[in-house]
Amino acid sequence: MFFNESQLTEIRNAILQSHNISIVVHRSPDGDALGSSLGLKHVLMALFSKQVSIIVPDAFPSALDYLPGSESIVVFDSQQELTNEVLNATDLLFCLDFNHPGRVGDLEELLKQTAARCIGVMIDHHQQPEPFLTYIGSKTSASSTCEMVYQFCRSLGMQEVPNQEIAKCLYTGIMTDTGSFRFSATTPETHEIAASLLKADIRHWEIHEHLFNQNSLTKLQMWGYALTSKLVVLPEFRTAFISLSADELERFQYQEGDLEGLVNYALSVQGMKMGVLMSERKGKIRISFRSTGSFSVNDFSRAHFEGGGHENAAGGVFYGKLEDAISKLTAALPDFSDKLNA
Ligand SMILES: [Mn+2]
C-alpha cells in the first residue's frame, strides 16, 4: 500500500471533516484519469455521502461520455469562472493520475494556490513525483491509477465487489492504461482487481465497444494516411516516428482523442525500441513516446522534450515548428544510440 496506516487514518479523518472535496486530473484526460476520478467520486459519495467536484484542465474525448457522472465534470478551459469558484471553496483536494503541477497546463497556478491552502492527496503511478501535496501516494509499478484507487478505497471500507458505477469507472482506467491487459505493468493483482470489478456485473464488452469501436471514418482515414505517408523508420536507432501538421489534422477533421494509440503502430514496426508521434496542436508540438524493454522514454523526454511519464510511455512538448521538432528528435538520437541498440 502506498499510504501507511497513520496516513490512511489522517486522510479518512480529512474526508470525514471536509465540506467540499475536489478531484483534479491532468490535461488531455484519458480513460485512467477520468475513470479514477469518477470512481473515487462515486466511492466518496457512497461511503461518506460527500459532495465531490471533478475538474479537468481541458476537454476529454467523447468516447468517455458513457462513464457515469461524466456530464457533471467541470472543464477549466471552457468554465474558468466555475473552476475558480469550486477550487476556492475546496477544503480537500485529490490529484489523480499526475504527479507534477505542470501537468495541468494553464490550471497550474490555481492548482498550486489550492494545494498550498488545503489538505491535498496524490494518487499516481508516474515516475519521479513532485511533493506538492500533503500526502503523496506514488506507486510507479502500478498498472494504472484506477488500480491504486481501488486499493485506496478498499482501505477506506469499500466492498471487494463495489457498485456498478464504481466498477465501470475503475475497470475503464485499468483496461485503457494496460492496453487491454497486455502491457508489462499488468500483474496478477491487476487481474484480481479486474475480476472483482467484473463481479459487479458490468458489461466489459460494452466498455470495449464504447472505447474502441466508435471510430469516425475520417479518423481511420487519417490513421491510414499517417501509416502510408508519414511513418519514418530509422533502423540504425531502432526508432520509428510519425508527424502530423495542423493542416493535415484539419484535412481529416481531427477531433480530441483521434490520435490516441497511433504511436503504438510506430513502435510495432519489427525491430523498433522506440515509437514517437508528433502532432501540431494549439500552436505547439505535442509528442507521445512509447518504448519496449529497458529503454526509458521518460529519461529521453525529460532530457529533450520537457516531458516525462513512465519508462515505456511518456509525453513531451516542443514549442516551434514541426520540422524543427523532427530535427531535434533526430539530432538527439545518436546520444541514445547505445541504449537503443542495447
Ligand atoms: Mn494512468
Side-chain angles (χ1 to χ4, degrees):
M1 187 55 185
F2 37 89
F3 294 121
N4 62 36
E5 281 305 317
S6 65
Q7 287 176 320
L8 279 172
T9 307
E10 287 167 30
I11 295 170
R12 164 184 274 277
N13 286 336
I15 294 170
L16 289 168
Q17 283 156 23
S18 69
H19 299 285
N20 293 296
I21 302 177
S22 291
I23 305 175
V24 175
V25 302
H26 57 78
R27 67 168 174 239
S28 305
D30 56 7
D32 193 31
L34 285 199
S36 60
S37 53
L38 284 163
L40 179 61
K41 172 179 169 148
H42 291 303
V43 172
L44 295 174
M45 284 165 49
L47 291 184
F48 302 96
S49 309
K50 290 293 176 182
Q51 287 300 313
V52 181
S53 305
I54 297 176
I55 294 161
V56 300
D58 51 7
F60 54 87
S62 59
L64 291 165
D65 283 350
Y66 72 90
L67 287 171
S70 63
E71 67 288 343
S72 61
I73 289 175
V74 177
V75 182
F76 168 69
D77 250 7
S78 52
Q79 298 169 284
Q80 304 210 357
E81 233 169 82
L82 181 57
T83 306
N84 262 294
E85 261 171 52
V86 170
L87 284 181
N88 285 329
T90 295
D91 53 9
L92 175 58
L93 172 71
F94 283 90
C95 291
L96 300 187
D97 203 33
F98 72 101
N99 63 15
H100 190 288
R103 303 284 304 175
V104 297
D106 294 338
L107 185 54
E108 182 172 354
E109 270 319 301
L110 185 54
L111 179 71
K112 279 184 181 164
Q113 287 167 22
T114 311
R117 191 176 52 67
C118 63
I119 297 173
V121 182
M122 175 196 296
I123 301 178
D124 178 67
H125 64 137
H126 296 87
Q127 304 278 327
Q128 290 148 289
E130 174 109 336
F132 73 107
L133 297 167
T134 328
Y135 300 99
I136 304 298
S138 170
K139 186 178 172 189
T140 56
S141 63
S143 74
S144 53
T145 297
C146 278
E147 184 175 317
M148 296 175 71
V149 165
Y150 178 88
Q151 291 162 332
F152 173 66
C153 292
R154 282 289 285 142
S155 66
L156 289 179
M158 184 182 78
Q159 301 283 308
E160 187 179 334
V161 178
N163 72 36
Q164 277 195 356
E165 284 179 322
I166 298 167
K168 238 186 198 179
C169 295
L170 297 183
Y171 189 88
T172 293
I174 295 174
M175 191 181 75
T176 52
D177 257 31
T178 58
S180 301
F181 303 93
R182 76 183 194 275
F183 296 154
S184 60
T186 310
T187 61
E189 201 170 16
T190 312
H191 283 281
E192 276 160 18
I193 292 171
S196 297
L197 299 174
L198 288 183
K199 285 177 195 161
D201 240 354
I202 54 169
R203 303 179 190 196
H204 60 91
W205 68 93
E206 273 182 12
I207 295 178
H208 203 277
E209 286 283 304
H210 281 301
L211 289 169
F212 301 115
N213 286 353
Q214 301 295 333
N215 289 320
S216 66
L217 183 58
T218 49
K219 173 192 157 174
L220 282 184
Q221 287 167 336
M222 175 167 70
W223 282 43
Y225 166 75
L227 296 177
T228 309
S229 307
K230 303 302 302 270
L231 175 61
V232 177
V233 177
L234 304 170
E236 66 276 35
F237 299 118
R238 300 181 71 178
T239 294
F241 71 87
I242 295 168
S243 63
L244 290 164
S245 68
D247 283 348
E248 288 167 325
L249 295 182
E250 199 184 330
R251 198 192 312 162
F252 293 99
Q253 297 163 42
Y254 171 80
Q255 296 291 312
E256 198 60 44
D258 276 358
L259 295 174
E260 203 66 46
L262 179 58
V263 64
N264 295 316
Y265 283 85
L267 180 65
S268 76
V269 177
Q270 199 168 45
M272 294 301 114
K273 268 276 179 67
M274 176 161 73
V276 184
L277 171 67
M278 288 183 269
S279 59
E280 185 182 7
R281 283 181 278 162
K282 295 179 188 161
K284 55 194 168 202
I285 312 301
R286 302 275 296 271
I287 311 174
S288 299
F289 298 96
R290 294 291 182 276
S291 66
T292 53
S294 59
F295 185 73
S296 171
V297 285
N298 178 52
D299 291 348
F300 187 83
S301 181
R302 273 180 192 260
H304 294 286
F305 291 100
E306 301 174 42
H310 308 286
E311 293 288 300
N312 295 134
V317 68
F318 178 84
Y319 298 94
K321 292 193 181 121
L322 184 59
E323 50 270 34
D324 294 336
I326 295 171
S327 305
K328 188 168 181 185
L329 172 74
T330 50
L333 290 173
D335 276 351
F336 285 81
S337 180
D338 288 352
K339 286 179 179 161
L340 285 162
N341 286 295

